[in-house]
Amino acid sequence: MRPPWRDPRRSTREHEVVEYVTEQRSGAAEADGTATGPDPDARWLALLMHAAFFLLLGASLTRFLMRHPGEARTPWIIALSITLAVLYLLGPVLGSRPTPRRLTWLGVLVAVWMVLVVLAPSFAWCAVPLFYTGLRILPPRAALALVALLTAFVVAAQLRLATGFDPNLVLAPPAVAAVATAVFVHMQRQAVRQRELAARQRELIDDLLRTRRELAATERREGTLAERQRLSMEIHDTLAQGLSSQQMLLQAADRTWTADPDAARRHVRTATGIAERNLAEARRFVHDLAPADLAAGGGLEAALHALAARESAQAQGALTVRCHVEGTPHAPLPDRVQSALLRIAQGALANVREHADATAAGLTLTHLDDRVVLDIGDNGRGFTPEPGAPRATGTGGAGSTGGAGSTGGAASAVRGHGLPAIRARVHQLGGTLTIESAPGEGTVLSAEIPLTTAENPTRHPTEDPA
């Protein structure tokens, strides 16, 4: 038998959930820059700005050498250009956080650039990569102040190169700086929001994984309890009842061994037959197979008739059990319904035999359009149902711990497992259990199973069926 928590469809669903969560977690890590390092977009933008800086620096130096060859300031321009390039190369080595060393480096870099712009205004175009560097390192207000300072130097440099006043040279650099700053700030805010979203997504994924683990653990516990309940009911309805019958037969054989050897041997043979039957039942319920009576063929009706005949034979005249079937089913009963009703009849008759002190009992199976009803009655001493206990409920009813024909006394409270097992079986099929009894008037136990619910039952094995 495959335990409930080993359902392959459930395993497939769990595998799909794990794969989905893994993909989402990887995506969140990549969005946050924690999977493979920094944000790829930011890295490509930095490389583009580095290339633009060196291209503008080279173009500015080339223009100066072409326009002003052999001037006295040329060595200074070349030396400052090399210094600026070397300083710029040191930036990535110092990291991206605004540490004191990083801020000092930025100040020296801007100062060298300003000196170059004063000596050669054509180097003003190197300001755009410096905008990006300042915005990355400095806090927002300090970055904006640096952008304004660099823009002023660019405007002044352009005016020095112009032969006359040109409004475009005054307005264009601030406009370019404003656009570049706005784009960068927008990208930076988008990156922050993306990181926050990724962090939130990781939290949700962690919650989903934790909830999934808790659900899996709960399902395993429910499966374990369901299997334990199944085994306990099967043991009670088969092995325990058989062992009880064997004990009584062997005790009777021991008492009559000397006085009536033939009767003693009959008791021993009957006990041997019960033992063989118990062995077959044990092998079948370990593998979650149908009861032996049903496996023999003939359906539920034949199994109930065989049960009645066997109980009467084992009682050897002390108890007569008859079976009656009313109606004809429109379709074969589901296997689980047949198994449950047979086990209910076995458990109820075992209680009659042990507790009721009855001489007659009857099994009545009634087929209706949308349900099937099994009644087990006896003419035993009966009992008084527990005060306040309902006589019929949708979850299996209530009554004495001893079941049909039980006295409800202390002995049955210790040994009685029959009625809880019957209630559990009825509950699993969505049926109703009714118990009617009174002292000296016998007991009638009625299990009504709706066929539409029994075909697709909703199982709650861990709930108290009472």
Side-chain angles (χ1 to χ4, degrees):
M1 188 202 74
R2 178 182 292 113
W5 62 93
R6 299 295 185 185
D7 187 351
R9 293 173 296 179
R10 179 178 298 171
S11 300
T12 301
R13 292 194 298 270
E14 291 179 355
H15 181 68
E16 292 174 353
V17 169
V18 170
E19 285 186 346
Y20 171 77
V21 169
T22 302
E23 292 175 0
Q24 294 298 316
R25 172 174 283 178
S26 299
E30 291 176 0
D32 194 25
T34 59
T36 58
D39 185 1
D41 295 336
R43 184 170 62 251
W44 281 109
L45 181 59
L47 293 176
L48 178 62
M49 287 298 171
H50 295 338
F53 175 82
F54 287 106
L55 181 62
L56 292 173
L57 180 62
S60 300
L61 180 59
T62 302
R63 181 181 184 279
F64 177 82
L65 294 177
M66 291 176 61
R67 296 291 182 89
H68 309 280
E71 291 188 2
R73 56 180 175 166
T74 299
W76 291 100
I77 297 297
I78 295 174
L80 288 172
S81 298
I82 295 174
T83 303
L84 186 63
V86 172
L87 284 173
Y88 195 88
L89 288 173
L90 290 176
V93 178
L94 299 176
S96 60
R97 295 184 179 181
T99 60
R101 293 176 59 187
R102 181 78 167 168
L103 296 177
T104 302
W105 166 83
L106 179 61
V108 174
L109 183 69
V110 172
V112 172
W113 174 80
M114 289 181 177
V115 174
L116 267 175
V117 172
V118 171
L119 295 177
S122 59
F123 285 89
W125 289 110
C126 295
V128 176
L130 294 179
F131 288 166
Y132 173 77
T133 303
L135 289 170
R136 284 189 62 194
I137 298 175
L138 297 175
R141 292 185 179 180
L144 293 177
L146 178 62
V147 169
L149 177 62
L150 297 179
T151 303
F153 263 78
V154 171
V155 171
Q158 294 300 312
L159 291 177
R160 283 181 58 190
L161 293 174
T163 55
F165 179 78
D166 187 353
N168 189 43
L169 298 178
V170 177
L171 298 178
V176 172
V179 172
T181 302
V183 171
F184 180 84
V185 171
H186 175 72
M187 291 178 59
Q188 199 172 35
R189 290 179 177 176
Q190 285 292 102
V192 171
R193 282 195 289 268
Q194 188 175 13
R195 286 194 294 269
E196 292 176 351
L197 180 62
R200 177 58 180 164
Q201 189 176 15
R202 285 200 307 276
E203 292 178 359
L204 293 176
I205 291 172
D206 292 339
D207 291 342
L208 176 60
L209 286 175
R210 183 171 56 255
T211 302
R212 189 65 189 178
R213 286 193 295 268
E214 294 173 354
L215 177 61
T218 301
E219 289 177 345
R220 284 193 294 271
R221 287 194 298 269
E222 290 180 351
T224 302
L225 292 175
E227 182 66 4
R228 184 182 302 168
Q229 184 184 47
R230 183 187 75 85
L231 291 176
S232 67
M233 291 190 298
E234 296 288 347
I235 290 172
H236 175 271
D237 293 339
T238 56
L239 301 184
Q241 301 301 338
L243 291 173
S244 176
S245 298
Q246 292 176 57
Q247 181 185 24
M248 290 188 295
L249 288 169
L250 292 176
Q251 289 174 347
D254 182 64
R255 289 193 300 269
T256 60
W257 191 265
T258 303
D260 190 354
D262 293 336
R265 280 191 289 271
R266 285 196 301 272
H267 292 323
V268 172
R269 285 194 296 269
T270 304
T272 302
I274 294 174
E276 292 176 355
R277 187 170 193 81
N278 273 5
L279 180 60
E281 289 284 5
R283 288 170 177 169
R284 299 192 68 82
F285 77 67
V286 164
H287 298 286
D288 197 19
L289 300 176
D293 287 335
L294 292 176
L300 179 60
E301 292 83 356
L304 290 176
H305 280 96
L307 174 63
R310 188 167 58 251
E311 289 290 336
S312 298
Q314 292 177 8
Q316 298 182 354
L319 174 65
T320 302
V321 181
R322 292 182 173 82
C323 180
H324 178 64
V325 178
E326 296 182 358
T328 303
H330 298 289
L333 295 177
D335 292 342
R336 60 182 289 108
V337 173
Q338 296 188 52
S339 298
L341 289 177
L342 179 58
R343 294 303 191 201
I344 289 172
Q346 289 174 337
L349 289 179
N351 282 348
V352 171
R353 184 176 63 249
E354 292 186 10
H355 305 295
D357 194 19
T359 59
L363 301 175
T364 303
L365 181 67
T366 305
H367 294 283
L368 302 176
D369 293 336
D370 57 348
R371 62 190 183 277
V372 60
V373 182
L374 176 64
D375 297 314
I376 305 98
D378 66 74
N379 64 349
R381 56 190 174 188
F383 65 95
T384 301
E386 296 178 3
R391 298 172 68 85
T393 69
T395 58
S400 168
T401 57
S406 169
T407 62
S412 65
V414 175
R415 302 176 54 194
H417 186 70
L419 190 57
I422 293 174
R423 283 201 302 263
R425 293 186 189 279
V426 174
H427 170 70
Q428 289 174 356
L429 296 175
T432 301
L433 180 66
T434 304
I435 301 174
E436 297 180 359
S437 182
E441 297 183 6
T443 301
V444 176
L445 182 149
S446 178
E448 180 179 316
I449 307 298
L451 297 180
T452 54
T453 305
E455 292 177 358
N456 295 293
T458 301
R459 297 188 65 177
H460 301 282
T462 59
E463 294 181 2
D464 182 4

